[in-house]
Amino acid sequence: MAGVALLLAPIWASTKSKRAAAVPEQWEMSLDGGRKLSWEHSFTSEREVNPNRGFWTKVVDVIAGEPNYHFLVRPYSIATDSRGRIIVTDPGADGVHIFDFAQRKYKFIQRKGKSKDSMLAPQCVAVDAQDNIYVTDSEAGVIFVFEPNGKLLHTIGSLKGGEGYFKRPTGIAVDSAAQRIYVTDTLRDQVFMLDMQGTVLKTIGSTGQAEGEFNLPTELRLDGPNLMVVDAMNFRVQAFDRSGTFKFAIGKIGDSAGAMFRPKAVSVDSEGDLYVVDALWGVVQVFNRQGELLYYFGSKGTHAGEFQLPAGLFIDHDDRVFVVDSFNRRVQIFHYAGLQKPATEEMK
């Protein structure tokens, strides 16, 4: 997407444009060269997985009352698996939501109060090639590994006495082909490279502002040969190869378009451009690999295409862009349509 101009983008940090009183049914952003970004829908709760409930189920609801549905409370991180299921961590609900809209199924994983391996503060999520689910727990200091059905397989980083090895594990990414797990330890200003059993193979980075150094790193994302790290308090995203060698960085501190103030998450579309969530401004900025801002979308609000404290971000193989709109207690789904091949052909 090199050379994409800033078209139809809202004025940075300006007042909202005039809107109808009702929530808009559609939101679309036209981009240079015929590209576009369209809003598909948002979801907030278990109930939306199967909205067309059967007649007899409704009869039971009248008699016994509707069931207590799980809602997003303070969602943070998001990923999708090979089945198209959407997995969302929710520190506010002390658990992990699994939304399966295709099969109309929902599952909530919670381990609060367990005598062993209690999950205290689920933070970030990733999946491996077998759809096993990896969840960092920033308070327990460990990584929980669940089977696709939500059954606990094991934890990584546990020490005797119930404490975790990591000070504050946050971002996580899994390289199934190379049998590697990458995790940021935010308070140590490092990225740990582990094998699949949790043995530390290497650490990447140290405290500082130079290339390859971090100041409170958070989310991670693997993209081809690259490992992207949100270097939150250095107000940038750094890219490394998978052995930990620095390659490039994008971002700078500031309060204008192209600058970052509170970067939260990063993901990459099928054309190789980087999407970065900024929680303070309530926007997603899109950069090329030279660090040039191509466009941005979002503003503060509650309507379609608006955010309040957005956090997680994930782009799937079909260029669907999932944004965790945390304070609005929802996930918004957009679709990026490139100029040439559909994303599904690009990924073959």
Side-chain angles (χ1 to χ4, degrees):
M1 285 177 56
V4 175
L6 289 170
L7 298 178
L8 297 187
I11 298 174
W12 191 267
S14 67
T15 57
K16 291 189 283 289
S17 59
K18 294 180 180 179
R19 299 178 180 271
V23 175
E25 295 289 331
Q26 297 181 347
W27 181 99
E28 186 172 287
M29 187 174 183
S30 297
L31 303 168
D32 187 29
R35 299 172 173 92
K36 67 178 181 180
L37 184 75
S38 303
W39 181 83
E40 291 192 344
H41 64 93
S42 63
F43 62 89
T44 62
S45 76
E46 171 189 358
R47 182 171 187 173
E48 292 156 90
V49 173
N50 188 12
N52 301 316
R53 307 176 76 234
F55 172 77
W56 290 112
T57 304
K58 292 179 180 178
V59 170
V60 172
D61 290 347
V62 172
I63 299 171
E66 287 195 9
N68 292 322
Y69 294 103
H70 288 94
F71 286 81
L72 297 175
V73 178
R74 196 174 74 249
Y76 187 83
S77 179
I78 188 167
T80 66
D81 65 11
S82 67
R83 313 175 192 188
R85 301 187 307 169
I86 304 168
I87 305 157
V88 185
T89 62
D90 193 340
D94 301 315
V96 179
H97 308 267
I98 303 176
F99 297 89
D100 188 344
F101 288 96
Q103 299 297 320
R104 296 186 175 184
K105 295 180 179 180
Y106 168 89
K107 187 172 186 63
F108 185 65
I109 304 173
Q110 187 177 46
R111 295 189 57 80
K112 185 177 180 180
K114 296 283 186 179
S115 58
K116 182 181 180 182
D117 296 325
S118 178
M119 189 162 61
L120 306 177
Q123 197 74 24
C124 291
V125 63
V127 297
D128 65 18
Q130 288 73 45
D131 289 337
N132 295 312
I133 301 166
Y134 297 69
V135 179
T136 57
D137 189 319
S138 59
E139 187 173 335
V142 301
I143 301 165
F144 288 86
V145 184
F146 299 95
E147 294 180 351
N149 62 9
K151 180 181 178 181
L152 180 67
L153 278 172
H154 58 91
T155 60
I156 294 173
S158 296
L159 299 175
K160 291 181 179 180
E163 296 180 352
Y165 172 77
F166 306 102
K167 284 188 176 181
R168 186 177 179 87
T170 306
I172 186 165
V174 181
D175 183 347
S176 295
Q179 294 287 285
R180 297 288 181 266
I181 301 169
Y182 298 86
V183 57
T184 53
D185 193 327
T186 300
L187 296 184
R188 281 197 171 103
D189 292 326
Q190 288 183 319
V191 176
F192 284 75
M193 181 195 299
L194 316 172
D195 64 18
M196 301 304 286
Q197 290 70 48
T199 301
V200 178
L201 304 176
K202 186 176 184 178
T203 59
I204 302 168
S206 58
T207 303
Q209 299 178 342
E211 294 179 351
E213 296 179 341
F214 301 113
N215 186 2
L216 300 183
T218 55
E219 282 267 31
L220 292 176
R221 187 72 61 206
L222 287 172
D223 170 57
N226 298 316
L227 173 68
M228 309 290 185
V229 184
V230 177
D231 188 10
M233 293 310 295
N234 279 329
F235 314 102
R236 64 187 178 184
V237 173
Q238 295 196 69
F240 301 82
D241 66 22
R242 297 201 181 193
S243 67
T245 302
F246 174 84
K247 295 183 70 175
F248 65 89
I250 63 169
K252 60 184 179 180
I253 188 172
D255 58 1
S256 59
M260 299 179 188
F261 193 82
R262 195 179 295 174
K264 283 289 187 177
V266 61
S267 200
V268 182
D269 69 17
S270 64
E271 295 178 339
D273 295 319
L274 282 71
Y275 294 56
V276 182
V277 168
D278 195 300
L280 181 67
W281 303 122
V283 299
V284 178
Q285 299 189 80
V286 184
F287 298 86
N288 63 21
R289 300 200 174 213
Q290 290 71 49
E292 298 170 325
L293 177 67
L294 303 178
Y295 66 96
Y296 56 87
F297 61 96
S299 58
K300 291 183 179 179
T302 59
H303 295 298
E306 297 178 342
F307 309 111
Q308 294 196 88
L309 297 180
L313 174 72
F314 187 86
I315 302 176
D316 69 10
H317 288 175
D318 293 319
D319 273 347
R320 289 195 303 168
V321 183
F322 300 80
V323 182
V324 178
D325 189 7
S326 187
F327 196 73
N328 283 328
R329 299 185 176 188
R330 64 183 179 181
V331 171
Q332 296 196 62
I333 305 175
F334 302 82
H335 183 252
Y336 171 69
L339 181 60
Q340 299 177 356
K341 298 178 182 178
T344 50
E345 294 184 18
E346 296 258 341
M347 297 303 294
K348 290 180 180 178

